[in-house]
Amino acid sequence: MAENKKKQSILSQKDLHLFLRILKSNWWVPLVVIPIFYAMGSFYVYRLITVYKASTEFLLKSQDIYYQGNVVTDANFYNYGTYVDNLNEKRIIQSYDLSRKVVEKLLDKLQVSYFIVGKVRTTEQFTGMPFKITINKINPIYYEQIFDFRIIDYDSYEIIFEQNGNKISKKGNFNKELIDTDLLLTINRTDIFTQAKVRDFKTLFYQFSVHTHDYLINNIRGNLEIENPEYTNILKIDLKDILPERAVLILDTLNSVYAMSKLKTKFELNERTISYIDLQLDQITYSLKSIEDTMQNYKTNRSIIDLDWERSDFLSKIGTYDNQKSNINLQLEALNDLEKYIIEDKDPQFLPPNVFVTEKQGFMLQAVTDLYTKQIELNQLYNVAKENNPLINDLKASVKKTKQDLLVYINNTRKASAQQIENLNKEILTYINAAKLIPGKQRDILTIQRKANVNEQLYNFLLEKRASTKIARASIVPDVKLVEPPRYIGIDSPDKGKILKQFISAAVLLIIIIIVIRSLFYSKIKTVEHLKELTNLPLIGVLPLLKNSESEGIVVDQLPNSLIAESFRNFRTNLQYANIGIDAKTFLVTSFLPGEGKTFTSVNLATILARSGKRTVLLELDLHKPRIFRRFGLAAQEKGITTFITGQNSINEIISETSVPNLFAMFAGPIPPNPSEFVLSERMKDLINYAKQNFDYVIIDTPPAGLLSDSVYLIHHVDASIFVLNTKSSSKKVITFIEELIENNNLQNIHLLLNGVKHIGKRYYYQGYGYSYGYGYGYGYGKGYGRKK
């Protein structure tokens, strides 16, 4: 079964008809809108000021230096090749101070802007002007004001400007200063201003403007763009300007000023380094002198000549005193031995030998020698004489006396030696204490000497670095290297192609909006398919488009074999099928607006019904503007429906036979001042009921429903109503009105008739009425509006 199912195409015939209908009714919209928008876009682009862009590139932290031996590399004290932070460099380049230096260098070229005024736009010029303005003094209120400038002749000119709302004119001579209370300037001719070109320059209209420093600085800063490509030390600087040659000049000057600022920083750093070294040298010189004075004072105050010599002298004296002390102690021992010898009265042969070692001459040696001699003599006398020998007694007395003298001498000598030893100990102690002071003095002297050595080394180091820093000054170069000199790289804005595309896109959007709005609200219903797309109301017939001359009179009677006559016959047939089971015999014909063909439809429908042998009456209830009588070639009727309503005539008196068999008419009669009240009268109901009872068909022509409510009231008194839609005027708005009218008034049996269709073709007549217009299929019968409850 699935194989037997028909595949639905993506684009149905209905969709194709819709597309072709929209295209056919709106083909002129793009042909009108697109050229207009393209012309508008072209004119807009032409009026826009073109902004150009110039660019330059340079490398940061270039190592192009010759001499690298300076205080930095040798002592980590000072370095020119410091780390370069690209973000900081970008801020420096965009700084106010750097832009100010650029403006100061280019002030004579940037302070005044020159313009040539054209018919459509004013163009700024940077070169090629026949004159040059030098501002000596100007009132601040005239900054950024436009001055009109006109060349009078080869020698003179005129300036026009605004002051307090008034136009002020000043005339001056070229190459001479113009002196005014508010202006002090000189306008000089340039090389291109010659006698031969005066006539050409006089025809041009010039303007100029004078700028403040801040304006120029902020203009440069605002149009600078700095980019740092990733992983590089390259800075790309772009400058936007309406004059490319000015942008290139500013960038070139900016490069120069930036490089000089880097050099200036290095030179200042070099000078500060040398000044610092000189200051340090002065301080170290003073310090060395102070140390020398300290050393001299120290030696003078402490009587220091030579510490090494003093050390040797102290040791020598201490040794000498120790030797003297030893000799004295040796003498004391000899004296002690001698004293012991004397006291013990020993054998003279055992006289202590140290007596002769310590005492080389003097009393003691003589006395000891004498004692020794006397004792020897005494011993010899004992050998030859008796104890009582006077010689022995005299000799003993002499020995005894000598011993007493020696003991006295020994005692005195011992005392003298003790005193001498005490003096020697004092001397030794003095020299020992003096020797103990030598290391402290030596330490102090070494400390002072060390300070002197440190300062001498630093002095020599700074002298060396001062020389290397001065040498390094000759090798200082900027740490930026120009990679790409300033050059013009193209137009930055506006993107004329993009703007034109935007205008075209706006045109396309507007075209779409217009087509959508026209299709939804203002699109005229030209075809049956279009009408079917808009509503489910039943379509009862389609009438072809007629020329104005053919639409006059009763065409179905005048041209019975024409397409319009055939269309009315189909209309009659469809009307009969559409009202099966209703037994409809009273039909109301109306429209939304005048001129849609309701009266034309009423007359011809009544005629085609009468031609079928049915007694038909035509009621002209458009009392506001009756016209049916003209269709029958009659003059305005003096009696009719209005005279019946007013009681002037009876119904039979107002019924008129027409030239068409079985067709009768009740004309409107004289136009009353209040037609709508006549329609609402009870006698109108009686008139309609009479027509229903005495005729097979009743056709009622009413006023347009979109203007008057008469037809809405009358719809409730008929079996079916026919709304005539004309392809020249009917749109979605009309369908919406009819549907709201049906919904709000609970109307039934409402049918549509499409009038004025071009190229109606034969398909409306030979496809079978049951499908195209037939009951239950074609245009909504049984599915929506028009079903009888």
Side-chain angles (χ1 to χ4, degrees), residues 734-781:
V734 177
I735 300 299
T736 303
F737 170 79
I738 296 172
E739 290 177 344
E740 290 178 352
L741 187 68
I742 294 172
E743 190 72 27
N744 296 334
N745 296 278
N746 194 24
L747 303 179
Q748 299 178 7
N749 300 326
I750 305 298
H751 307 288
L752 302 179
L753 176 71
L754 186 60
N755 182 27
V757 178
K758 294 181 181 179
H759 313 297
I760 193 170
K762 296 182 180 180
R763 60 192 178 94
Y764 294 105
Y765 312 112
Y766 301 107
Q767 290 179 351
Y769 298 120
Y771 182 79
S772 298
Y773 306 104
Y775 178 77
Y777 285 96
Y779 299 96
Y781 299 113

Coordinates of all heavy atoms in Angstrom, one line a residue, residues 734-781:
V734 N -10.6 43.5 2.2 CA -12.0 43.3 1.9 C -12.5 41.9 2.5 O -13.6 41.8 3.0 CB -12.2 43.4 0.4 CG1 -13.7 43.1 0.0 CG2 -11.8 44.7 -0.1
I735 N -11.6 40.9 2.3 CA -12.0 39.6 2.8 C -12.1 39.6 4.3 O -13.1 39.0 4.9 CB -10.9 38.6 2.4 CG1 -10.8 38.5 0.8 CG2 -11.2 37.2 2.9 CD1 -12.1 38.1 0.2
T736 N -11.2 40.3 5.0 CA -11.3 40.4 6.4 C -12.6 41.1 6.8 O -13.2 40.7 7.8 CB -10.1 41.2 6.9 OG1 -8.9 40.6 6.5 CG2 -10.1 41.3 8.4
F737 N -12.9 42.2 6.1 CA -14.2 42.9 6.4 C -15.4 42.0 6.3 O -16.3 42.0 7.1 CB -14.3 44.1 5.5 CG -15.6 44.8 5.5 CD1 -15.9 45.7 6.6 CD2 -16.6 44.5 4.6 CE1 -17.2 46.3 6.6 CE2 -17.9 45.1 4.6 CZ -18.1 46.0 5.7
I738 N -15.4 41.2 5.2 CA -16.6 40.3 5.0 C -16.7 39.3 6.1 O -17.8 39.0 6.6 CB -16.5 39.7 3.6 CG1 -16.6 40.8 2.5 CG2 -17.6 38.7 3.4 CD1 -16.3 40.3 1.1
E739 N -15.5 38.7 6.4 CA -15.5 37.6 7.4 C -15.9 38.2 8.8 O -16.7 37.6 9.5 CB -14.1 37.0 7.5 CG -13.8 36.2 6.3 CD -12.4 35.6 6.3 OE1 -11.6 36.1 7.1 OE2 -12.1 34.7 5.5
E740 N -15.4 39.4 9.1 CA -15.8 40.0 10.4 C -17.3 40.4 10.4 O -18.0 40.2 11.4 CB -15.0 41.2 10.7 CG -13.5 41.0 11.0 CD -12.7 42.2 11.2 OE1 -13.3 43.3 10.9 OE2 -11.5 42.1 11.6
L741 N -17.8 40.8 9.2 CA -19.2 41.1 9.1 C -20.1 39.9 9.3 O -21.1 40.0 10.0 CB -19.4 41.7 7.7 CG -20.8 42.3 7.4 CD1 -21.1 43.5 8.2 CD2 -21.0 42.6 5.9
I742 N -19.7 38.8 8.7 CA -20.4 37.5 8.9 C -20.4 37.1 10.4 O -21.4 36.7 10.9 CB -19.8 36.5 8.0 CG1 -20.1 36.8 6.5 CG2 -20.4 35.1 8.3 CD1 -19.4 35.9 5.5
E743 N -19.2 37.2 10.9 CA -19.0 36.7 12.3 C -19.8 37.6 13.3 O -20.4 37.1 14.2 CB -17.5 36.7 12.7 CG -17.2 36.1 14.0 CD -17.3 34.6 13.9 OE1 -17.1 34.0 12.8 OE2 -17.6 33.9 14.9
N744 N -19.7 38.9 13.1 CA -20.3 39.8 14.1 C -21.9 39.8 13.9 O -22.6 40.1 14.9 CB -19.8 41.2 13.9 CG -18.3 41.3 14.2 OD1 -17.8 40.5 15.0 ND2 -17.6 42.3 13.6
N745 N -22.4 39.6 12.7 CA -23.8 39.7 12.5 C -24.5 38.3 12.3 O -25.7 38.2 12.0 CB -24.1 40.5 11.3 CG -23.7 42.0 11.5 OD1 -24.4 42.8 12.1 ND2 -22.5 42.3 11.0
N746 N -23.7 37.3 12.5 CA -24.2 35.9 12.4 C -25.0 35.7 11.1 O -26.1 35.2 11.0 CB -25.2 35.6 13.6 CG -25.5 34.1 13.7 OD1 -24.7 33.3 13.2 ND2 -26.6 33.8 14.3
L747 N -24.3 36.1 10.0 CA -24.9 36.0 8.7 C -24.6 34.6 8.1 O -23.7 33.9 8.4 CB -24.3 37.1 7.8 CG -24.4 38.5 8.2 CD1 -23.7 39.5 7.3 CD2 -25.9 38.9 8.4
Q748 N -25.6 34.2 7.2 CA -25.5 32.9 6.5 C -25.7 33.1 5.0 O -26.2 34.1 4.5 CB -26.5 31.9 7.1 CG -26.3 31.7 8.6 CD -27.4 30.7 9.1 OE1 -28.2 30.2 8.3 NE2 -27.5 30.6 10.4
N749 N -25.2 32.0 4.3 CA -25.4 32.0 2.8 C -24.8 33.2 2.1 O -25.5 33.9 1.4 CB -26.9 31.8 2.5 CG -27.5 30.6 3.1 OD1 -26.9 29.6 3.2 ND2 -28.8 30.7 3.5
I750 N -23.5 33.4 2.5 CA -22.8 34.5 1.8 C -21.9 33.9 0.8 O -21.1 33.0 1.0 CB -22.0 35.3 2.9 CG1 -22.8 35.8 4.0 CG2 -21.2 36.4 2.2 CD1 -23.9 36.7 3.6
H751 N -22.0 34.5 -0.5 CA -21.2 34.0 -1.6 C -20.3 35.1 -2.1 O -20.7 36.3 -2.0 CB -22.1 33.4 -2.7 CG -23.1 32.4 -2.2 ND1 -22.7 31.1 -1.8 CD2 -24.4 32.4 -1.9 CE1 -23.8 30.4 -1.4 NE2 -24.8 31.2 -1.5
L752 N -19.3 34.7 -2.8 CA -18.4 35.7 -3.4 C -18.4 35.6 -4.9 O -18.5 34.5 -5.5 CB -16.9 35.5 -2.9 CG -16.7 35.6 -1.4 CD1 -15.2 35.3 -1.1 CD2 -17.2 36.9 -0.9
L753 N -18.3 36.7 -5.6 CA -18.2 36.7 -7.0 C -17.0 37.6 -7.4 O -16.9 38.7 -7.0 CB -19.4 37.4 -7.6 CG -19.4 37.6 -9.2 CD1 -19.5 36.2 -9.9 CD2 -20.5 38.5 -9.6
L754 N -16.0 37.0 -8.1 CA -14.8 37.7 -8.5 C -15.0 38.2 -9.9 O -15.2 37.5 -10.9 CB -13.6 36.7 -8.5 CG -12.3 37.3 -8.7 CD1 -12.0 38.4 -7.7 CD2 -11.2 36.3 -8.7
N755 N -14.9 39.6 -10.0 CA -15.1 40.3 -11.2 C -13.8 40.9 -11.8 O -13.0 41.3 -11.0 CB -16.2 41.4 -11.0 CG -16.5 42.2 -12.2 OD1 -16.4 41.6 -13.3 ND2 -16.9 43.4 -12.1
G756 N -13.7 40.9 -13.1 CA -12.6 41.6 -13.7 C -11.3 40.7 -13.8 O -10.2 41.3 -13.8
V757 N -11.5 39.4 -13.9 CA -10.3 38.5 -14.0 C -9.8 38.5 -15.4 O -10.5 38.3 -16.4 CB -10.7 37.1 -13.6 CG1 -9.5 36.1 -13.7 CG2 -11.3 37.1 -12.2
K758 N -8.5 38.7 -15.5 CA -7.8 38.7 -16.8 C -7.5 37.2 -17.2 O -7.2 36.4 -16.3 CB -6.5 39.5 -16.8 CG -6.7 41.0 -16.6 CD -5.4 41.7 -16.6 CE -5.5 43.2 -16.4 NZ -4.2 43.9 -16.4
H759 N -7.5 36.9 -18.5 CA -7.1 35.6 -18.9 C -7.8 34.5 -18.2 O -7.2 33.6 -17.6 CB -5.6 35.4 -18.8 CG -4.7 36.6 -19.3 ND1 -4.8 37.0 -20.6 CD2 -3.9 37.4 -18.7 CE1 -4.0 38.0 -20.8 NE2 -3.4 38.3 -19.6
I760 N -9.1 34.6 -18.2 CA -9.9 33.7 -17.5 C -9.8 32.3 -18.0 O -9.8 31.3 -17.3 CB -11.4 34.1 -17.4 CG1 -12.1 33.3 -16.4 CG2 -12.0 34.0 -18.8 CD1 -13.5 33.9 -16.1
G761 N -9.6 32.1 -19.3 CA -9.4 30.8 -19.9 C -10.6 29.9 -19.9 O -11.7 30.3 -19.4
K762 N -10.5 28.7 -20.4 CA -11.6 27.8 -20.5 C -11.7 26.8 -19.3 O -12.6 26.1 -19.2 CB -11.5 27.0 -21.8 CG -11.6 27.8 -23.0 CD -11.6 27.0 -24.3 CE -11.7 27.8 -25.6 NZ -11.7 27.0 -26.8
R763 N -10.6 26.8 -18.5 CA -10.6 25.8 -17.4 C -11.7 26.1 -16.4 O -12.0 25.2 -15.7 CB -9.2 25.9 -16.7 CG -8.8 27.2 -16.1 CD -7.4 27.2 -15.7 NE -6.9 28.4 -15.2 CZ -6.9 28.7 -13.8 NH1 -7.3 27.7 -13.0 NH2 -6.5 29.8 -13.4
Y764 N -12.2 27.3 -16.3 CA -13.3 27.6 -15.4 C -14.6 26.9 -15.8 O -15.6 26.9 -15.1 CB -13.5 29.1 -15.2 CG -12.3 29.7 -14.5 CD1 -11.4 30.5 -15.3 CD2 -12.1 29.5 -13.2 CE1 -10.3 31.1 -14.6 CE2 -11.0 30.1 -12.6 CZ -10.1 30.8 -13.3 OH -9.0 31.4 -12.7
Y765 N -14.7 26.5 -17.1 CA -16.0 26.1 -17.6 C -16.0 24.6 -18.0 O -17.0 24.0 -18.0 CB -16.3 26.8 -18.9 CG -16.2 28.3 -18.7 CD1 -15.2 29.0 -19.3 CD2 -17.0 29.0 -17.8 CE1 -15.0 30.4 -19.1 CE2 -16.9 30.3 -17.6 CZ -15.9 31.0 -18.2 OH -15.7 32.4 -18.0
Y766 N -14.8 24.0 -18.2 CA -14.8 22.7 -18.7 C -14.1 21.7 -17.7 O -13.7 20.6 -18.1 CB -14.1 22.6 -20.1 CG -14.8 23.5 -21.0 CD1 -14.3 24.7 -21.5 CD2 -16.1 23.1 -21.5 CE1 -14.9 25.5 -22.4 CE2 -16.8 23.9 -22.4 CZ -16.2 25.1 -22.8 OH -16.8 25.9 -23.7
Q767 N -13.8 22.1 -16.5 CA -13.2 21.2 -15.6 C -14.3 20.5 -14.7 O -14.0 19.7 -13.9 CB -12.2 21.9 -14.6 CG -11.0 22.3 -15.4 CD -10.1 23.1 -14.4 OE1 -10.4 23.4 -13.3 NE2 -8.9 23.3 -14.9
G768 N -15.5 20.9 -14.9 CA -16.6 20.3 -14.2 C -17.0 21.2 -13.0 O -16.2 21.5 -12.2
Y769 N -18.3 21.6 -13.1 CA -18.7 22.5 -12.1 C -18.7 21.9 -10.7 O -18.5 22.6 -9.7 CB -20.1 23.0 -12.4 CG -20.2 23.7 -13.7 CD1 -21.0 23.3 -14.7 CD2 -19.5 24.9 -13.9 CE1 -21.1 23.9 -15.9 CE2 -19.5 25.6 -15.1 CZ -20.3 25.1 -16.1 OH -20.4 25.7 -17.3
G770 N -18.9 20.6 -10.7 CA -18.9 20.0 -9.3 C -17.6 20.1 -8.6 O -17.6 20.0 -7.4
Y771 N -16.5 20.2 -9.3 CA -15.2 20.3 -8.6 C -14.8 21.8 -8.5 O -14.4 22.2 -7.4 CB -14.2 19.6 -9.4 CG -12.8 19.6 -8.7 CD1 -12.6 18.8 -7.6 CD2 -11.8 20.5 -9.1 CE1 -11.4 18.8 -6.9 CE2 -10.6 20.5 -8.4 CZ -10.4 19.7 -7.4 OH -9.2 19.8 -6.7
S772 N -15.0 22.6 -9.6 CA -14.5 23.9 -9.5 C -15.4 24.8 -8.7 O -14.9 25.6 -7.9 CB -14.4 24.5 -11.0 OG -13.4 23.7 -11.7
Y773 N -16.7 24.8 -9.0 CA -17.6 25.7 -8.2 C -18.7 24.9 -7.5 O -19.6 25.5 -7.0 CB -18.2 26.7 -9.2 CG -17.2 27.4 -10.0 CD1 -16.9 27.1 -11.3 CD2 -16.4 28.4 -9.4 CE1 -16.0 27.8 -12.0 CE2 -15.5 29.1 -10.1 CZ -15.2 28.8 -11.4 OH -14.3 29.5 -12.1
G774 N -18.7 23.7 -7.7 CA -19.8 22.9 -7.2 C -20.0 22.8 -5.7 O -19.1 23.2 -4.9
Y775 N -21.2 22.4 -5.4 CA -21.5 22.4 -4.0 C -20.7 21.4 -3.2 O -20.5 20.2 -3.6 CB -23.0 22.0 -3.9 CG -23.5 21.9 -2.5 CD1 -23.8 23.0 -1.7 CD2 -23.7 20.7 -1.9 CE1 -24.3 23.0 -0.5 CE2 -24.2 20.6 -0.6 CZ -24.5 21.7 0.1 OH -24.9 21.6 1.4
G776 N -20.1 21.8 -2.1 CA -19.4 20.9 -1.3 C -17.9 20.8 -1.5 O -17.2 20.2 -0.8
Y777 N -17.4 21.3 -2.7 CA -15.9 21.2 -3.0 C -15.3 22.6 -3.1 O -14.4 23.0 -2.4 CB -15.7 20.4 -4.2 CG -15.9 18.9 -4.0 CD1 -17.1 18.3 -4.3 CD2 -14.9 18.1 -3.5 CE1 -17.3 17.0 -4.1 CE2 -15.1 16.8 -3.3 CZ -16.3 16.2 -3.6 OH -16.5 14.9 -3.4
G778 N -15.7 23.2 -4.3 CA -14.9 24.2 -4.8 C -14.4 25.3 -3.9 O -13.2 25.5 -3.8
Y779 N -15.2 26.0 -3.2 CA -14.7 27.2 -2.6 C -15.3 27.3 -1.1 O -15.5 28.4 -0.6 CB -15.1 28.5 -3.4 CG -14.4 28.4 -4.7 CD1 -15.1 27.9 -5.8 CD2 -13.1 28.8 -4.9 CE1 -14.5 27.8 -7.0 CE2 -12.5 28.7 -6.1 CZ -13.2 28.2 -7.2 OH -12.6 28.1 -8.4
G780 N -15.5 26.2 -0.6 CA -15.8 26.2 0.9 C -17.2 25.8 1.2 O -17.5 25.9 2.4
Y781 N -18.0 25.3 0.3 CA -19.4 25.0 0.6 C -19.4 23.8 1.6 O -18.7 22.8 1.4 CB -20.2 24.6 -0.6 CG -20.3 25.7 -1.6 CD1 -19.7 25.6 -2.8 CD2 -21.1 26.8 -1.3 CE1 -19.8 26.6 -3.7 CE2 -21.2 27.8 -2.2 CZ -20.6 27.7 -3.4 OH -20.7 28.7 -4.4

